[in-house]
């Protein structure tokens, strides 16, 4: 059995859903687990619904629910003839139930309520896709990941209970392949031990593909994207990107750690553990090669990869008494940073100085100054860019830093990281 994952962009309208069905026809007769995300930008829309619910803004809540419902109904209109009424009533039922949530007493656990609502995006898309596959002649069935993937009850960021999920998937999912060829299920969602819906964190559908593959000992996982495979840089920032034909699991983990956004970082570990190959392929050109991610590190060094993070702030903390930065300071600095949830992209120290680089969007520099000022002199520099180059050489270093001031350089044998400022 193979696992396929289709993200939001691959089911964003009726034409896209038809394209998924065409891709599946290329694999006629092969057992497939199809993991699907919410359609288009539905997850963002449902997040707004949850915020409207919590801010008790009924008019906004109802408007947003209506917009999401109309979006899905339009897709259904473009897809179905025979089973149209049946699927419309099913999807309307989900939205009607969602509307009633406004008058229900809310728990004060935002994340719990978030998961019950935001998960509906995946439920709806998988219902539409499985019904459409049936209508277009595939042997397909809907499977409910809320009964198959078990997590703890950390809502919005569920931790997978591998043993239990494996048991549930082996007993209640795999046997269905005796009756159907394709099972369509949801990415991103699971359930807590109490049976409440949980989610695995934004962009978590790739991870679901990894979980299903691990628990079923799948042959391979394919992530279908709107790019030809894993590229050596984001085409948004870079001309002349090159596709990585073959890379190792290790390299893929490194790239996603530094911020390459093609695959959710948690996806790789379960596949690596069982040696299950991962393919990244284009849903626009499904017969093209794409990228293969597997165990061998042989080809990793062939192409340098570039990862850019913009809008960075570099903070420098200097002890006020000019004492050396020692372990006690570091522990104190990290404690203070944890208070504001600062995620560090890079750090560096000297005798009396400790520097960190963080995303400007995620912190308020004045707040950082405030919480450090009793003990440290704090300086910061905004509007910076962090460039990470895997498998760098002199030419690539020069290429990214030309015309810019280099504030920090860090190098290992494989990786160079530069903090740059426009001159
Ligand atoms: N729909 C979820 C999100 O947008 C999960 C996913 O698509 O991976 O974050």
């Amino acid at each position: 059995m193979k696992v396929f994952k289709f993200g939001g962009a691959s089911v964003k309208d009726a034409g896209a859903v038809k394209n998924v069905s065409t891709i599946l026809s290329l694999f006629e007769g092969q057992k497939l687990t199809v993991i699907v995300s919410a359609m288009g930008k539905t997850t963002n829309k449902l997040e707004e619904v949850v915020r409207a619910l919590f801010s008790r803004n009924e008019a906004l809540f109802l408007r947003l629910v209506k917009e999401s419902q109309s979006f899905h109904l339009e897709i259904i209109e473009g897809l179905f003839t025979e089973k149209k009424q049946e699927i419309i009533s099913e999807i309307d039922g989900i939205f009607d139930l969602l509307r009633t949530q406004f008058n229900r007493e809310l728990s004060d656990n935002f994340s719990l309520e978030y998961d019950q609502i935001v998960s509906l995006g995946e439920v709806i898309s998988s219902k539409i896709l499985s019904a459409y596959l049936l209508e277009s002649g595939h042997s397909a069935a809907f499977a409910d990941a809320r009964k198959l993937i078990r997590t703890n009850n950390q809502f919005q960021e569920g931790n997978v209970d591998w043993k239990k999920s494996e048991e549930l998937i082996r007993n209640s999912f795999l046997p269905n392949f005796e009756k159907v060829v394709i099972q369509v299920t949801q990415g991103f969602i699971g359930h807590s031990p109490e049976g409440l819906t949980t989610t695995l964190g934004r962009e978590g559908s790739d991870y679901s593909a990894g979980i299903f593959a691990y628990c079923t000992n799948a042959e391979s996982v394919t992530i279908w994207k709107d790019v030809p495979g894993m590229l050596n840089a984001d085409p948004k920032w870079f001309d002349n990107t090159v596709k990585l034909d073959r890379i190792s699991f290790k390299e893929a983990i490194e790239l996603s750690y530094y911020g390459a956004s093609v695959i959710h970082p948690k996806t790789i570990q379960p596949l690596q553990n069982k040696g299950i190959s991962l393919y990244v392929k284009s849903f626009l050109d499904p017969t093209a090669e794409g990228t293969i991610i597997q165990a061998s590190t042989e080809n990793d060094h062939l192409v340098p990869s570039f990862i850019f993070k913009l809008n960075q702030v570099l903070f420098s903390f200097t002890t006020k008494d000019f004492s050396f930065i020692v372990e006690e300071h570091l522990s104190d600095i990290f404690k203070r940073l944890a208070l504001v949830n600062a995620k560090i992209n890079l750090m560096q120290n000297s005798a009396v100085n400790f520097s960190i680089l963080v995303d400007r969007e995620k912190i308020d520099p004045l707040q950082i100054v405030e919480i450090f000022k009793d003990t440290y002199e704090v300086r910061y520099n905004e509007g910076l860019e962090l460039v990470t180059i895997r498998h760098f050489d002199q030419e690539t270093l020069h290429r990214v830093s030309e015309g810019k001031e280099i504030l920090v350089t860090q190098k290992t044998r494989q990786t160079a990281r530069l903090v740059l400022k426009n001159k």
Side-chain angles (χ1 to χ4, degrees):
M1 189 271 293
K2 294 187 168 84
V3 175
F4 283 181
K5 182 260 174 173
F6 290 95
S10 59
V11 286
K12 69 177 192 318
D13 54 32
V17 177
K18 287 183 184 168
N19 185 48
V20 170
S21 166
T22 310
I23 292 176
L24 299 180
S25 305
L26 299 173
F27 297 84
E28 180 96 57
Q30 301 187 37
K31 292 189 171 111
L32 302 173
T33 295
V34 173
I35 312 274
V36 68
S37 295
M39 295 177 150
K41 302 269 179 243
T42 298
T43 304
N44 293 352
K45 180 69 101 189
L46 293 173
E47 284 189 338
E48 287 181 55
V49 168
V50 180
R51 284 196 290 270
L53 177 68
F54 269 81
S55 57
R56 305 310 299 151
N57 187 338
E58 188 168 16
L60 178 63
F61 172 86
L62 291 174
R63 177 164 67 74
L64 292 165
V65 173
K66 179 94 212 130
E67 282 170 9
S68 186
Q69 185 170 19
S70 310
F71 167 76
H72 287 99
L73 289 181
E74 195 182 316
I75 294 179
I76 293 173
E77 286 294 337
L79 288 175
F80 292 87
T81 42
E82 278 163 47
K83 292 210 176 62
K84 195 192 280 184
Q85 232 16 74
E86 214 175 292
I87 185 81
I88 289 182
S89 357
E90 196 170 359
I91 301 306
D92 279 350
I94 295 176
F95 283 103
D96 287 343
L97 200 64
L98 175 55
R99 279 189 194 85
T100 64
Q101 301 303 304
F102 198 85
N103 298 317
R104 183 175 62 80
E105 200 176 320
L106 290 177
S107 79
D108 48 20
N109 185 342
F110 175 88
S111 298
L112 182 156
E113 300 290 354
Y114 173 105
D115 282 1
Q116 310 319 302
I117 291 179
V118 172
S119 56
L120 294 177
E122 267 68 13
V123 174
I124 294 167
S125 73
S126 55
K127 293 221 175 220
I128 296 176
L129 179 63
S130 55
Y132 179 67
L133 292 180
L134 272 179
E135 176 149 317
S136 47
H138 289 279
S139 156
F142 169 91
D144 197 333
R146 291 171 298 184
K147 299 197 166 67
L148 299 168
I149 293 184
R150 166 68 63 84
T151 68
N152 65 356
N153 48 22
Q154 193 174 333
F155 296 98
Q156 285 199 273
E157 204 63 59
N159 265 322
V160 175
D161 176 340
W162 290 93
K163 206 158 161 265
K164 191 72 199 168
S165 301
E166 199 163 6
E167 185 188 312
L168 291 167
I169 289 175
R170 290 254 163 93
N171 294 336
S172 313
F173 176 78
L174 267 185
N176 300 337
F177 279 118
E178 278 157 29
K179 291 173 264 160
V180 289
V181 181
I182 302 174
Q183 294 198 69
V184 179
T185 190
Q186 309 77 39
F188 182 52
I189 67 178
H191 68 285
S192 70
E194 299 78 25
L196 287 165
T197 302
T198 52
T199 62
L200 306 174
R202 285 300 308 263
E203 314 288 327
S205 292
D206 292 353
Y207 185 34
S208 302
I211 300 167
F212 270 93
Y214 180 94
C215 295
T216 57
N217 289 326
E219 233 175 281
S220 63
V221 172
T222 306
I223 297 188
W224 295 92
K225 309 264 312 176
D226 56 0
V227 284
M230 271 187 91
L231 302 177
N232 74 328
D234 186 333
K236 252 193 294 185
W237 314 119
F238 224 65
D239 295 333
N240 309 323
T241 52
V242 178
K243 178 170 75 70
L244 305 171
D245 295 335
R246 253 170 199 279
I247 59 166
S248 66
F249 291 121
K250 181 172 162 287
E251 184 67 12
I253 290 176
E254 293 284 352
L255 291 173
S256 60
Y257 169 77
Y258 291 121
S261 59
V262 180
I263 303 164
H264 189 283
K266 284 183 172 171
T267 314
I268 297 168
Q269 201 190 12
L271 302 182
Q272 182 177 26
N273 286 346
K274 288 211 173 164
I276 300 171
S277 299
L278 172 62
Y279 297 82
V280 180
K281 281 172 169 267
S282 164
F283 59 74
L284 303 168
D285 188 5
T287 55
E289 277 280 318
T291 299
I292 303 188
I293 301 161
Q294 35 63 61
S296 162
T297 55
E298 219 172 33
N299 297 297
D300 287 351
H301 64 283
L302 296 180
V303 181
S305 291
F306 301 82
I307 300 133
F308 295 82
K309 280 186 189 269
L310 305 185
N311 207 3
Q312 302 292 301
V313 198
L314 185 66
F315 288 93
S316 281
F317 307 106
T318 314
T319 48
K320 278 194 169 157
D321 55 3
F322 278 97
S323 56
F324 284 167
I325 295 270
V326 292
E327 285 70 11
E328 288 89 86
H329 294 110
L330 294 178
S331 141
D332 174 48
I333 290 171
F334 285 123
K335 267 192 210 123
R336 294 179 195 228
L337 290 170
L339 289 178
V340 287
N341 238 334
K343 298 254 170 359
I344 301 170
N345 292 329
L346 174 139
M347 52 191 163
Q348 178 131 317
N349 68 316
S350 70
V352 292
N353 226 321
F354 184 70
S355 305
I356 58 158
L357 190 75
V358 287
D359 291 334
R360 171 66 183 86
E361 267 177 12
K362 298 189 185 141
I363 46 99
D364 172 6
L366 295 177
Q367 190 189 14
I368 303 258
V369 173
E370 191 56 37
I371 58 171
F372 278 92
K373 71 176 185 201
D374 59 333
T375 322
Y376 304 89
E377 203 75 66
V378 184
R379 278 168 296 132
Y380 64 91
N381 211 326
E382 291 189 77
L384 308 178
E385 187 180 321
L386 170 63
V387 186
T388 304
I389 314 173
R390 291 279 293 165
H391 314 291
F392 64 98
D393 56 19
Q394 271 316 318
E395 197 232 304
T396 50
L397 289 173
H398 181 69
R399 179 174 172 193
V400 296
S401 58
E402 207 179 355
K404 296 184 176 163
E405 183 186 351
I406 304 177
L407 302 191
V408 180
T409 307
Q410 286 186 350
K411 283 186 199 164
T412 61
R413 268 180 302 169
Q414 313 286 359
T415 311
R417 310 193 80 198
L418 308 176
V419 179
L420 303 171
K421 183 179 184 156
N422 280 328
K423 276 188 185 150

